[in-house]
Each structure stands twice: as structure tokens, then as C-alpha cells.
């Protein structure tokens, strides 16, 4: 895993916006690329004047959407039986697939939005969305919105990292550790909005008649 982190880290440092788009497309599909190793280092470079903060966020969103759209389309074409049978060969186990399906069934379009902010579910949510043939326009909207928020959070933390610890780019593990240590407050705010959304769904759900 360390070798992969080194490889992806190098793509960000040398590939610029194209590297961001490619890696975030992989992150939003079946490839386990952590977004924490993509956006924060890119924002770090933006803070140094080598990239644009806005450009980093937009490239991240574009890559996230491309990966999600491809996964959605493939899942819609292939169907659940084949994914459930052969998904384990691309790290999509039946258990992970079932968890993503339950999440989508329970929280609907808002679930796709908030899934973009959660580990594991983030790169899997496009699969059940494609299987159930969720409206592609709606899927695209909530995917872009959720990806934009997540990429902005990571970019903000990457910019903050540059000002606090300028030597973070010496190792790919250091940005991940920094993000995990400093993202708690922002994710609590996101969790609050998610809780309010889930509560509203529960309140609006028709009550069963006795």
C-alpha cells in the first residue's frame, strides 16, 4: 500500500490538474484511491502558487463526477446479478454492495449527496444508483454537489496544512494524518446537516394505518 501511496502522490505533484482529475475519477469508481492523498497535496501546491485553489477544487469535482458517471453507467448496463457475483474481483464484496444499496434505499437522492462525504460508501454509491436506474440528471446534480463540498473541505485543509506544517509533502502518509487530525470539526457540521436531512425524511414518511 505504501508503494501505491507513493505512486499516487507522485501523480499529484507532477501531473497537476490532469493528475487530479484522473486520480479522483479512480477514487469515485472501484479503485481504492484515497482522496486525502489527492486534493490536500494539490491545495498545498496551490498555496505555493504552483496551482490555483479554485482549479484544484474544480479538477477534483470533474474527476469525481467522471468516475461516478462511468460507474453508474456500467452498473446500469451490467445489472446487479453480475456485480454481486463478480464484484469481489474488483473489491466490491456482496456485503459492501448491500450496505450501499441500503444507504440509497433509505436516504434516496440526499443519500448520494452525503455518501460523497463518507468513506467506503463514497466510491460505491454509484453502483446501486445505476442498478435501480436512478434519474441520471438527479444523480449528476447530487454527485457534483456532494463532490464539490468534499473537495472544498479537503482543499481548505490542504491550504491550512501549508501554513501550519510546510514540510508535509515529504511523505504521502503525512497529509493523510494531518487531514484526519484536523477534519473533525468540519465533518461534525456536515454530520449535523445529514442528521437534519434524515430526520426530515423520517418526519415526512407516511405513517402506516392501523
Amino acid at each position: 500500500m505504501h508503494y501505491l501511496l507513493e505512486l499516487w502522490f507522485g501523480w499529484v505533484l507532477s501531473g497537476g490538474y490532469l493528475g487530479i482529475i484522473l486520480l479522483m475519477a479512480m477514487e469515485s469508481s472501484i479503485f481504492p484511491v484515497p482522496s486525502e492523498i489527492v486534493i490536500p497535496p494539490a491545495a498545498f501546491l496551490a498555496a505555493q502558487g504552483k496551482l490555483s485553489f479554485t482549479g484544484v477544487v474544480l479538477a477534483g469535482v470533474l474527476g469525481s463526477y467522471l468516475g461516478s458517471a462511468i460507474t453508474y453507467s456500467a452498473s446500469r448496463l451490467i445489472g446487479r446479478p453480475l456485480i454481486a457475483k463478480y464484484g469481489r474481483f474488483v473489491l466490491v464484496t456482496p456485503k459492501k454492495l448491500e450496505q450501499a444499496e441500503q444507504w440509497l434505499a433509505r436516504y434516496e437522492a440526499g443519500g448520494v449527496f452525503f455518501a460523497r462525504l463518507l468513506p467506503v460508501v463514497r466510491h460505491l454509491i454509484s453502483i446501486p444508483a445505476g442498478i435501480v436506474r436512478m434519474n441520471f440528471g438527479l444523480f449528476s446534480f447530487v454527485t457534483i454537489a456532494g463532490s464539490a463540498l468534499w473537495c472544498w473541505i479537503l482543499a481548505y485543509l490542504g491550504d491550512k496544512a501549508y501554513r501550519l506544517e510546510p514540510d508535509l509533502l515529504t511523505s504521502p502518509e503525512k497529509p493523510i494524518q494531518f487531514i484526519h487530525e484536523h477534519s473533525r470539526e468540519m465533518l461534525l457540521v456536515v454530520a449535523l446537516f445529514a442528521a437534519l436531512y434524515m430526520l426530515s425524511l423520517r418526519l415526512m414518511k407516511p405513517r402506516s394505518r392501523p
Side-chain angles (χ1 to χ4, degrees):
M1 188 63 182
H2 178 80
Y3 170 76
L4 289 176
L5 289 177
E6 290 277 6
L7 179 63
W8 298 329
F9 196 65
W11 288 4
V12 175
L13 299 184
S14 61
Y17 298 120
L18 184 58
I20 297 170
I21 293 172
L22 177 60
L23 286 169
M24 290 303 289
M26 294 171 64
E27 187 268 347
S28 295
S29 60
I30 58 176
F31 300 99
V33 178
S35 52
E36 293 89 343
I37 202 65
V38 181
I39 300 299
F44 200 102
L45 295 178
Q48 294 177 331
K50 298 177 181 179
L51 294 174
S52 159
F53 181 92
T54 302
V56 167
V57 174
L58 291 177
V61 173
L62 176 58
S64 295
Y65 175 67
L66 288 176
S68 298
I70 291 172
T71 304
Y72 169 97
S73 301
S75 301
R76 181 166 179 163
L77 178 65
I78 295 173
R80 192 189 192 286
L82 287 178
I83 294 175
K85 186 174 182 179
Y86 299 107
R88 63 183 182 277
F89 295 112
V90 288
L91 304 180
V92 181
T93 63
K95 182 178 180 180
K96 287 183 178 180
L97 176 60
E98 184 178 352
Q99 289 174 338
E101 288 177 324
Q102 290 174 349
W103 177 270
L104 179 63
R106 187 171 185 179
Y107 303 119
E108 303 170 351
V112 177
F113 172 84
F114 288 111
R116 304 304 310 170
L117 312 173
L118 300 173
V120 181
V121 182
R122 180 187 308 133
H123 73 278
L124 292 176
I125 195 63
S126 301
I127 296 176
I131 291 174
V132 302
R133 297 177 177 268
M134 179 180 181
N135 180 276
F136 186 70
L138 179 60
F139 170 81
S140 298
F141 175 77
V142 292
T143 296
I144 291 173
S147 298
L149 178 57
W150 180 239
C151 288
W152 183 88
I153 290 174
L154 291 180
Y156 168 80
L157 292 172
D159 182 79
K160 180 180 179 180
Y162 174 73
R163 306 179 194 289
L164 295 178
E165 300 182 38
D167 65 337
L168 277 178
L169 292 190
T170 57
S171 168
E173 283 88 358
K174 286 185 177 181
I176 294 180
Q177 182 179 357
F178 182 92
I179 296 303
H180 289 169
E181 290 175 353
H182 292 81
S183 61
R184 191 171 303 170
E185 297 82 4
M186 300 190 75
L187 291 180
L188 281 176
V189 175
V190 173
L192 175 60
F193 280 108
L196 290 175
Y197 172 78
M198 296 169 190
L199 177 61
S200 67
L201 281 184
R202 182 179 293 273
L203 293 176
M204 290 187 297
K205 185 177 181 180
R207 296 182 179 179
S208 57
R209 295 181 178 179

